């Protein structure tokens, strides 16, 4: 089977570091809500610790550090290499709608380059959500350093934004995984592991690449 | 697209400053003009002979408008659990923290001497209850008090779990979660309640109800710096002991006692009747859950610098090429 390179090793490592730290952040973040005791996760063998706020907070800090470093790395790395093909362009919303329709056999897929219009839009949504989580998370971390008093209402909005955005991030993550399980998206999965994608698939779905 | 070295340095500098600025200001302390209180245990006699200590009854009367007003139809189980926390039929209890009792007197005998200890929220300097609230509805104010916004609290009770003295108490069937719990009983459990140091009275220049009513003048409130000095002086003059200066990272409530607090704490746990449902509120050397994790907090704050530095290191040669073009 003829293949071509889609993602470099650096891109793949960054992706998986963000993905794995993101999963742990979601788990430890939901642990910071009083959920696991109420919903009996603590009764599942091996998860008795999950309602311990101290443990989930340490996991949250550590994985937040990894996630934040990986996202900052991603931004600066691609900025330095002038790689902007995943950023949204004029007309992407319309083409995304066409692309989503095509996924369900309604019409033709628009002409795509390396990234499809809907991939660029989704990247922007997930990216913005991640940055919001990082900025609000940094403020939350800062105020935890000691006897620091910030404006209570400002902190309230920071906390609400962080918690609500965390929920949105989880839904986006689930949608991302669900989309990859669709039959016509499955050939993209190997490219995130080996870096290579089927040439025939690329010519069909990314003819302008 | 080419990037000049100057532009790049600006971006990195800005990113670095965003991360470094908080670290530099992280030594900010609670202001010397904020409120603090001193409770002198050598003066408090628990209002011997009275059915209810005067500070307790004054608190209950003064704060009654803030107590929960329960809609009995909203007293539903915390699904999927088969329980809910309801104190509305136990409003008379004055020997523990409840949503209807924000101050109580602990009594214990140490070395043949009876000690009475007024217990309420310590109004910590770095309060985990407020700082770890997922919705930020528990506030630490610059004036000192830590208070709960009852109109927004979900009653998750995390604040109670992370408070070393388990001060905040939950009442089901009240608060914002009653808007949805009948249709979607998945989140919320009521509202949390605790002492707010009568912040409304303080704002008017008045003194909290409990302190005004104390016949022994065992409790005083004032400028933090003055109270801390007063406490230190008391300790030196009477060779006594202080509690609340360093516990849980420092608090705005300082206890003075002629007897060592570890002795009192030991007596509290030893004399406790295990058949009683409520556990004794300790006077232990409470550790602050946030301070214990300062190293990890700092790591999360410098993470942007680590990420940027790694990217710059990995692309160093490439930029040189780009700029050479």
């Amino acid at each position: 089977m003829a293949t071509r390179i889609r993602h470099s090793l650096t891109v793949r490592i960054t992706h998986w570091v963000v993905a794995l730290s993101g999963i742990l952040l979601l788990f430890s973040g939901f642990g910071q809500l009083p959920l696991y005791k109420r919903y009996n996760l603590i009764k599942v063998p091996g998860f008795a610790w999950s309602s311990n706020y101290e443990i989930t907070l340490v996991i949250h800090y550590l994985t937040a550090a990894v996630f934040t470093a990986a996202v900052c790395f991603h931004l600066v790395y691609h900025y330095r290499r002038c790689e902007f093909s995943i950023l949204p362009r004029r007309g992407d919303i319309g083409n995304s709608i066409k692309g989503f329709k095509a996924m369900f056999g309604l019409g033709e897929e628009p002409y795509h380059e390396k990234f499809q219009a809907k991939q660029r839009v989704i990247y922007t949504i997930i990216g913005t959500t991640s940055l919001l989580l990082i900025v609000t998370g940094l403020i939350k971390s800062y105020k935890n350093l000691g006897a620091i008093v910030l404006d209570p209402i400002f902190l309230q909005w920071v906390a609400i934004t962080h918690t609500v955005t965390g929920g949105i991030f989880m839904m986006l993550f689930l949608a991302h995984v669900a989309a990859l399980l669709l039959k016509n998206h499955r050939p993209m999965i190997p490219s995130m592991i080996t870096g290579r994608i089927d040439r025939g698939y690329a010519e069909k779905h990314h003819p302008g690449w | 697209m080419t990037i000049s070295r100057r532009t790049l340095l600006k971006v990195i500098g800005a990113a670095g400053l965003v991360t470094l600025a908080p670290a530099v200001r992280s030594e900010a302390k609670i202001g010397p003009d904020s409120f603090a209180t001193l409770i002198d245990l050598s003066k408090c006699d628990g209002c011997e002979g009275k059915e209810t200590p005067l500070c307790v009854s004054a608190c209950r009367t003064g704060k009654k408008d803030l107590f929960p007003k329960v809609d009995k139809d909203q007293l539903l189980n915390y699904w999927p659990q088969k329980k809910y926390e309801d104190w509305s039929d136990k409003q008379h209890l004055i020997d523990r923290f409840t949503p209807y009792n924000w101050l109580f007197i602990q009594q214990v005998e140490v070395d043949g001497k009876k000690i009475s200890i007024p217990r309420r929220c310590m109004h910590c300097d770095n309060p985990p209850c407020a700082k770890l609230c997922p919705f930020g509805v528990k506030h630490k104010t610059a004036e000192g008090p830590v208070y709960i916004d009852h109109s927004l609290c979900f009653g998750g009770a995390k604040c109670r779990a992370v408070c070393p003295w388990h001060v905040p108490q939950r009442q089901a069937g009240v608060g914002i979660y009653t808007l949805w719990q009948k249709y979607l009983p998945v989140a919320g459990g009521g509202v949390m309640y605790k002492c707010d140091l009568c912040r409304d009275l303080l704002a008017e220049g008045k003194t909290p109800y409990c302190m005004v009513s104390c016949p022994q003048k065992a409790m005083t409130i004032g400028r933090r710096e003055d109270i801390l000095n007063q406490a230190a002086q008391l300790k030196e003059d009477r060779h006594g002991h202080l509690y609340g200066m360093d516990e849980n990272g420092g608090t705005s409530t300082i206890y003075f006692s002629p007897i060592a607090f570890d002795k009192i704490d030991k007596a509290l746990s030893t004399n406790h009747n295990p058949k009683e449902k409520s556990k004794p509120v300790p006077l232990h050397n409470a550790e602050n859950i946030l301070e214990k994790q300062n190293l990890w907090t700092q790591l999360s704050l410098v993470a942007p610098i680590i990420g940027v530095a790694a990217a710059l290191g990995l692309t160093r040669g490439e930029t040189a090429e780009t700029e050479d073009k």
Side-chain angles (χ1 to χ4, degrees), chain B residues 114-174:
Chain B
K114 193 172 177 183
I115 298 172
S116 301
I117 316 156
R119 300 308 300 268
R120 57 156 170 77
C121 173
M122 302 284 284
H123 299 281
C124 302
D125 299 341
N126 186 20
C129 67
K131 296 196 172 180
L132 290 175
C133 173
F135 293 92
V137 300
K138 211 159 272 104
H139 305 310
K140 173 68 182 176
T141 63
E143 294 78 28
V146 178
Y147 74 99
I148 300 164
D149 184 340
H150 296 147
S151 63
L152 291 175
C153 177
F154 276 38
K158 180 184 179 184
C159 52
R160 180 173 58 196
V162 298
C163 169
W165 302 281
H166 309 302
V167 175
Q169 295 297 319
R170 174 162 65 179
Q171 173 61 51
V174 285

Side-chain angles (χ1 to χ4, degrees), chain B residues 94-277:
Chain B
I94 56 163
D95 63 345
R96 68 197 72 180
F97 292 127
T98 82
Y100 301 89
N101 199 64
W102 300 356
L103 162 70
F104 74 99
I105 304 290
Q106 258 179 331
Q107 291 193 310
V108 68
E109 210 169 285
V110 185
D111 296 341
K113 196 171 178 232
K114 193 172 177 183
I115 298 172
S116 301
I117 316 156
R119 300 308 300 268
R120 57 156 170 77
C121 173
M122 302 284 284
H123 299 281
C124 302
D125 299 341
N126 186 20
C129 67
K131 296 196 172 180
L132 290 175
C133 173
F135 293 92
V137 300
K138 211 159 272 104
H139 305 310
K140 173 68 182 176
T141 63
E143 294 78 28
V146 178
Y147 74 99
I148 300 164
D149 184 340
H150 296 147
S151 63
L152 291 175
C153 177
F154 276 38
K158 180 184 179 184
C159 52
R160 180 173 58 196
V162 298
C163 169
W165 302 281
H166 309 302
V167 175
Q169 295 297 319
R170 174 162 65 179
Q171 173 61 51
V174 285
I176 195 170
Y177 91 119
T178 58
L179 295 176
W180 62 76
Q181 75 149 345
K182 279 190 175 175
Y183 319 101
L184 197 66
V186 294
V191 173
M192 306 305 295
Y193 293 88
K194 67 164 198 72
C195 160
D196 62 0
L197 204 60
C198 294
R199 53 187 290 271
D200 50 340
L201 292 183
L202 292 177
E204 292 171 16
K206 296 177 183 168
T207 306
Y209 295 112
C210 57
M211 299 180 196
V212 173
S213 64
C214 178
Q216 304 294 330
K217 304 284 173 234
M219 296 182 262
T220 45
I221 187 162
R223 278 182 75 241
R224 181 187 177 85
E225 204 168 79
D226 297 341
I227 290 289
L228 295 185
N229 288 338
Q230 210 177 317
Q233 193 66 47
L234 206 54
K235 181 186 174 189
E236 196 181 313
D237 292 349
R238 296 173 51 194
H239 307 292
H241 307 267
L242 299 178
Y243 184 82
M245 299 285 281
D246 303 313
E247 284 73 15
N248 204 27
T251 79
S252 300
T253 303
I254 312 300
Y255 287 94
F256 167 79
S257 165
I259 299 170
F261 282 96
D262 53 353
K263 265 188 166 182
I264 303 175
D265 186 49
K266 198 176 171 192
L268 282 171
S269 53
T270 312
N271 298 353
H272 175 66
N273 180 357
K275 284 182 186 169
E276 267 188 44
K277 267 193 173 178

Side-chain angles (χ1 to χ4, degrees), chain A residues 34 37 50 52 55 83 123 140 159 168 198:
Chain A
K37 191 176 177 187
S50 63
N52 183 320
I55 296 174
E83 292 169 339
Y123 170 83
K140 279 166 72 84
I168 295 170
D198 177 61

Side-chain angles (χ1 to χ4, degrees), chain A residues 4-209:
Chain A
R4 68 165 293 185
I5 291 175
R6 182 162 172 84
H7 299 301
S8 68
L9 181 64
T10 308
V11 168
R12 281 177 281 148
I13 290 173
T14 311
H15 170 267
W16 287 112
V17 167
V18 167
L20 294 175
S21 59
I23 291 168
L24 286 170
L25 276 169
L26 282 172
F27 183 80
S28 55
F30 280 105
Q32 286 299 300
L33 298 170
L35 287 181
Y36 296 150
K37 191 176 177 187
R38 175 165 174 169
Y39 288 100
N40 295 324
L41 183 68
I42 55 167
K43 291 180 184 166
V44 176
F47 283 91
W49 56 271
S50 63
S51 69
N52 183 320
Y53 296 118
E54 201 168 335
I55 296 174
T56 49
L57 189 58
V58 170
I59 296 172
H60 206 67
Y61 277 139
L62 287 173
T63 48
V66 174
F67 183 85
T68 305
V71 169
C72 292
F73 171 85
H74 167 79
L75 292 174
V76 176
Y77 179 79
H78 292 288
Y79 179 74
R80 293 262 288 173
R81 291 168 58 96
C82 303
E83 292 169 339
F84 304 116
S85 57
I86 202 166
L87 293 181
R89 301 170 197 169
R90 191 183 290 273
D92 271 0
I93 301 281
N95 282 334
S96 295
I97 294 167
K98 285 180 193 164
F100 278 116
K101 282 183 176 172
M103 274 166 59
F104 301 101
L106 303 167
E108 288 292 306
E109 274 215 17
Y111 181 81
H112 293 304
E113 296 173 8
K114 181 174 182 180
F115 295 104
Q116 299 180 346
K118 60 177 185 286
Q119 290 172 331
R120 287 195 291 269
V121 170
I122 290 166
Y123 170 83
T124 308
I125 295 171
I126 294 181
T128 308
T129 308
S130 302
L131 288 177
L132 255 178
L133 280 167
I134 288 172
V135 171
T136 51
L138 287 173
I139 297 169
K140 279 166 72 84
S141 287
Y142 165 60
K143 64 111 173 64
N144 286 352
L145 273 176
I148 294 162
V149 182
L150 299 178
D151 180 69
I153 303 304
F154 168 69
L155 282 181
Q156 180 177 304
W157 282 109
V158 167
I160 290 173
T161 305
H162 192 77
T163 302
V164 172
T165 314
I168 295 170
F169 185 81
M170 185 189 69
M171 286 188 270
L172 291 169
F173 169 76
L174 293 175
H176 175 61
V177 173
L180 283 172
L181 296 177
L182 291 176
K183 196 178 172 188
N184 58 346
H185 285 168
R186 275 179 225 158
M188 284 197 284
I189 297 173
S191 72
M192 260 307 159
I193 299 164
T194 64
R196 303 191 75 87
I197 194 166
D198 177 61
R199 183 171 284 276
Y201 179 88
E203 283 169 1
K204 186 180 173 192
H205 294 277
H206 303 273
W209 177 29

